[in-house]
Amino acid sequence: MAITDEKYVLLTTFRKNGDGVATPVWIVSLPDGTAGFTTEIDSGKVKRIRNNPSVTLQPCTLRGKVTADTEVVTATADVLLGEDARPVTKAVRRKYRVAILLLDVGTLFRKLLRRAEPDECAIRLRFD
């Protein structure tokens, strides 16, 4: 099974000092053979990826517990913004349709409170 077939993967990004920071994320396969996930533009993982694009991935649970007997996959990550992020966003919406509907309730409240929509942000993963 490919890493992109998983529901959750543990993404590890690296601080400037080399320490790894692991975060469970959704993952989708993209038509060009890469993969991706969406995130907030001001998240720590975006900052770390901009400093060091090398990441690792491993299948995990929703809470980040690594699935037994699975291998670590290495990749290079790119931060995508605006229109460039749109294909990843669409793929995530297709794969995680029900969960996205629940998250859209938060978007509705943001609109009701007239808060600005955050810029669309996604991460593209190129496998090593």
Side-chain angles (χ1 to χ4, degrees):
M1 173 150 67
I3 192 83
T4 54
D5 294 334
E6 300 292 337
K7 189 168 185 178
Y8 306 103
V9 295
L10 193 65
L11 170 80
T12 301
T13 55
F14 299 93
R15 292 186 173 128
K16 287 181 182 179
N17 68 5
D19 290 347
V21 179
T23 309
V25 296
W26 291 339
I27 189 168
V28 294
S29 177
L30 300 172
D32 63 0
T34 62
F37 63 90
T38 56
T39 188
E40 298 291 324
I41 194 167
D42 58 356
S43 70
K45 58 187 152 298
V46 168
K47 180 181 175 182
R48 290 186 295 275
I49 287 169
R50 284 183 169 150
N51 287 320
N52 179 357
S54 296
V55 300
T56 64
L57 305 154
Q58 195 166 7
C60 71
T61 65
L62 169 67
R63 300 215 183 264
K65 182 179 180 205
V66 171
T67 306
D69 300 321
T70 58
E71 293 189 23
V72 174
V73 175
T74 59
T76 303
D78 299 306
V79 177
L80 306 175
L81 301 174
E83 282 296 317
D84 294 334
R86 187 90 10 100
V88 178
T89 301
K90 287 181 179 179
V92 167
R93 286 188 163 279
R94 275 192 305 275
K95 184 174 179 180
Y96 299 95
R97 184 169 306 152
V98 174
I100 293 294
L101 287 173
L102 296 173
L103 292 175
D104 279 347
V105 172
T107 302
L108 176 63
F109 281 116
R110 186 178 303 135
K111 287 180 181 178
L112 290 172
L113 296 173
R114 301 184 194 275
R115 292 196 177 139
E117 280 290 313
D119 290 334
E120 199 165 342
C121 181
I123 305 297
R124 179 179 50 223
L125 303 164
R126 292 176 282 123
F127 298 107
D128 299 341

